[in-house]
Amino acid sequence: MNSISDTIDTAVDALSSPESLEGLFHHVHDNVPLPSNASLIEIVELARGILFPGYFGQTKVTQDTIKYHIGVSLERFCRLLKKQVMAGLCFGLDKDDPLCIEDVRGKALGITEELVRRLPEIRRILATDVEAAYNGDPAATCFGEIISCYPVIRTLTNYRLAHELHLLGVPIIPRMISELAHSETGIDIHPAAQIGHHFTIDHGTGVVIGATCIIGNNVKLYQGVTLGALSFPLDENGNPIKGIPRHPILGNDVIVYSNATILGRITIGDRSVIGANRWVTDNIAPDTKIYKNVKMHKGFENGYGI
């Protein structure tokens, strides 16, 4: 017994050493825990029920009871979100940063209130996404089928909520909300990406949209499309420089077919069409149709890579 106790003590000492914990240990600020995936899942479900009443959450909603259902859901949404935003703000602090818990609580309340103010506009944009999915799929029978069944609407609900929280300066929470959709649908949209109205993804699985992507209005992607980075400029230590534009810009009315790969800070002009399985690393002029691979002039040395 002493032998196993000694072994445990040795392991505890090794696992608790500052050297082994460098970058791997979260220092709790004033007993505020990490954001909770379970709470964020509930927040997302509440938001879906608020934005699409009768389709998510409480489904026994009538015109007579809709204000009650939205009111109850919105009150719980606010309580949960405020707590999670507060956890996110604390997460974003360095362990040595001074913390006034009342200031953080006030900021979290302000962010929560502002997001609630933006919910009607989020619904308006999501309605255009539903319309785009319906108009783009001859198999779709009605808007209700799109909302209930199509993974793109679940993903875009998460993305558009997460994007607003990103714009409001909330650390980590937007990425966690986006990753919930990624796990649920196989569609990976970074919350910092900028996406216009009437956006849709047909089928969806395997789509990747990078953080600095800018996507115009009336854009349609198919499954397996990657809008990624081609190269990563390096700093003096040989590490990728963060925060620089490195993903594509897609103009208005662009269509990108399945498994196409578009890399780098290039522009795909308005009304262009990129065919399936194409590899594009150079600018494409407006009204261009690409049905064969475009020659790639860059190699994969000196930091280049997908």
Side-chain angles (χ1 to χ4, degrees):
M1 182 64 75
N2 288 339
S3 177
I4 190 63
S5 297
D6 292 343
T7 300
I8 290 173
D9 289 343
T10 301
V12 168
D13 289 341
L15 292 169
S16 303
S17 68
E19 296 80 9
S20 72
L21 289 170
E22 184 66 33
L24 305 176
F25 167 57
H26 174 68
H27 178 81
V28 175
H29 283 274
D30 204 17
N31 292 319
V32 178
L34 280 169
S36 162
N37 259 315
S39 292
L40 290 174
I41 288 170
E42 184 175 356
I43 286 167
V44 166
E45 285 303 309
L46 286 166
R48 289 174 178 176
I50 291 164
L51 295 167
F52 299 107
Y55 288 105
F56 299 99
Q58 173 57 256
T59 55
K60 294 182 180 179
V61 180
T62 68
Q63 194 62 52
D64 292 333
T65 63
I66 190 169
K67 288 185 70 173
Y68 167 79
H69 286 298
I70 290 178
V72 169
S73 295
L74 200 51
E75 284 186 7
R76 180 154 181 80
F77 174 87
C78 288
R79 288 198 301 271
L80 290 172
L81 183 62
K82 176 189 171 185
K83 186 174 180 180
Q84 293 308 303
V85 168
M86 187 173 174
L89 293 171
C90 289
F91 175 88
L93 297 172
D94 292 331
K95 65 182 181 65
D96 296 324
D97 285 346
L99 172 66
C100 174
I101 199 67
E102 290 305 316
D103 288 347
V104 175
R105 185 174 287 112
K107 186 174 181 180
L109 176 60
I111 289 171
T112 300
E113 290 177 341
E114 181 56 31
L115 184 67
V116 170
R117 291 189 191 99
R118 297 183 186 188
L119 286 176
E121 177 62 11
I122 291 173
R123 179 192 277 170
R124 187 191 71 79
I125 297 295
L126 283 169
T128 73
D129 300 330
V130 172
E131 182 181 10
Y134 174 77
N135 290 338
D137 186 356
T141 60
C142 61
F143 279 16
E145 182 183 6
I146 298 293
I147 297 167
S148 298
C149 304
Y150 282 45
V152 65
I153 300 305
R154 294 170 182 265
T155 300
L156 288 179
T157 301
N158 284 43
Y159 158 73
R160 297 206 183 275
L161 285 169
H163 182 66
E164 294 303 321
L165 288 169
H166 167 77
L167 294 178
L168 290 168
V170 180
I172 201 170
I173 300 292
R175 191 63 187 272
M176 293 177 72
I177 290 174
S178 291
E179 288 303 319
L180 291 176
H182 186 193
S183 298
E184 182 181 9
T185 68
I187 301 170
D188 184 2
I189 305 178
H190 195 286
Q194 301 174 50
I195 301 177
H197 59 73
H198 287 87
F199 176 68
T200 190
I201 304 171
D202 204 355
H203 305 294
T205 305
V207 167
V208 177
I209 300 175
T212 62
C213 276
I214 300 175
I215 298 176
N217 302 319
N218 301 298
V219 171
K220 184 176 185 178
L221 309 181
Y222 283 79
Q223 69 272 19
V225 167
T226 296
L227 305 179
L230 175 64
S231 61
F232 304 95
L234 307 179
D235 62 21
E236 63 275 9
N237 297 316
N239 298 315
I241 299 173
K242 297 181 181 293
I244 61 173
R246 58 195 181 278
H247 299 105
I249 300 171
L250 274 58
N252 298 323
D253 305 296
V254 168
I255 300 174
V256 184
Y257 282 96
S258 58
N259 298 311
T261 299
I262 304 174
L263 303 179
R265 192 58 164 188
I266 61 173
T267 298
I268 308 300
D270 293 349
R271 299 172 300 281
S272 290
V273 178
I274 308 298
N277 301 305
R278 300 305 89 180
W279 180 280
V280 181
T281 58
D282 291 305
N283 292 330
I284 300 298
D287 301 297
T288 300
K289 292 179 172 59
I290 302 294
Y291 294 125
K292 63 181 180 179
N293 282 323
V294 178
K295 182 178 179 181
M296 194 174 89
H297 301 291
K298 302 179 180 70
F300 287 96
E301 296 80 27
N302 298 321
Y304 285 100
I306 297 174

